[in-house]
Amino acid sequence: MISIRLETLLRNSLTRRQFGQGGMALGATLAASPAFALTEERARKLVEAVVADIFRVINSGRAEASMLREFERIFARYADVDLIARRTLGPDGRSASNAQINAYVSAFRGYISRKYGRRFREFIGGSVEVTDAYAEKSYFVVRTRTQLQGQAPFEVRFLVLTRNGQDKFFNLLIEGVNLMLAERTEIGAMLDKRRGNLDQLIADLRTFG
Amino acid sequence: MLKKLLLILVLPTLAACAAGPRDANGVLDPYEGANRAMHAVNKGLDTVALRPAAAVYGGVLPKPVRDGVNNVANNLELPGDMINNLAQGRLDNFGNNFFRLIINTTLGIGGIFDPAKSFGLDHEDTDFGETLFVWGVPEGAYVELPVLGPSTERGVVGRVVDAALNPLGVILNDDQEDIASGVSIGRTLDMRYENRDLINSTLYESADSYAQLRLLYLQNRRFKLGDGEIADDFDPFGDPFAQ
């Protein structure tokens, strides 16, 4: 009951957004076509697609450097990297120029892909299975049961939204640990170490991870 | 009855818990200075003792042997878990743990094996910190304990009560208590060995290992307790630079 209401609310708010962006005619078409509103089914499909792509790379047996480049492509395709990166800057991002933000987003994309990509070897012989999906606030949560070899299964939640007509995930929670917050903590500490020098951080991030 | 008695005993301590708003990351840490000093000590202990000992333990003992040690340690915890299951009013979990104890102590030869798992009886691990959570006691401030590592004020009170309530102290003789301590240390070494990638990267590769560990601990603990069901309290269509 509650989930149906949330979904309706979400659908209405997304539709309003599209009215603003695409004009009345397009908005009316979108409102009539449920395919344009994010649904549990689509959120679930996005997660299944990103998981399938990741395992394809892991099982390809390529060299690590080539795998890491593939992971960066997958991250760019399925994640709202721009939003994740901006959020990790927090209020420090307010004083940055557009050029700095763009450079940061690009450096962050590579850093995250390398940092977590190196650990995807732990996923060899493992599996990620979608268990359920539900609406929460203005996004969808897709829950998965992740099983790595020789370990107890654990829960990974993908948070999925639609922006400019594209479905993307914008956060991951591993057994409750919010990865965006973990990275914001890390980036904040790196910035402190560089006395708030964002350009220095951007240059260093290009080589980190 | 038990709940009232225990609450009367622990309330004075809990009343001394820090209160106040959490920061944007959900952290309340008024003892940060002392905590950071303790973190430096704990990290040093990990570097010189726990990490190398875990590498030897994991490298020498095959996995089935380490699993057997973990099973014995977990089995010995069941009586204490069952007291907490009851105090929480979670009778299903109590039943699970009760039958686990019977099956694994007998069929599982003193808890070395875990046949109860194949009957669908998973270990319902708990502690008095969780009991306090169920009773509505707030988490309090973050605390990094010597040797034991991350906790909260509520968790510290829970540990003290768990130690006092532990029925094993009455049941076991001295030799058996030595074995109980031994398997508990073994289980800690195995945990450090199996999670070495995560622990090493958190402790030795992050820009601020104290802040990183604090966040990971608090979020994971709240997740396990079922405290805070909202995945991300944030409007992704709002200002990304907002706290």
Side-chain angles (χ1 to χ4, degrees), chain B residues 105-121:
Chain B
T105 306
T106 54
L107 283 179
I109 315 173
I112 297 172
F113 301 100
D114 186 5
K117 200 176 175 183
S118 53
F119 296 120
L121 296 169

Side-chain angles (χ1 to χ4, degrees), chain B residues 17-23 27-30 140-141:
Chain B
C17 282
R22 293 175 179 172
D23 71 9
V27 172
L28 172 63
D29 193 2

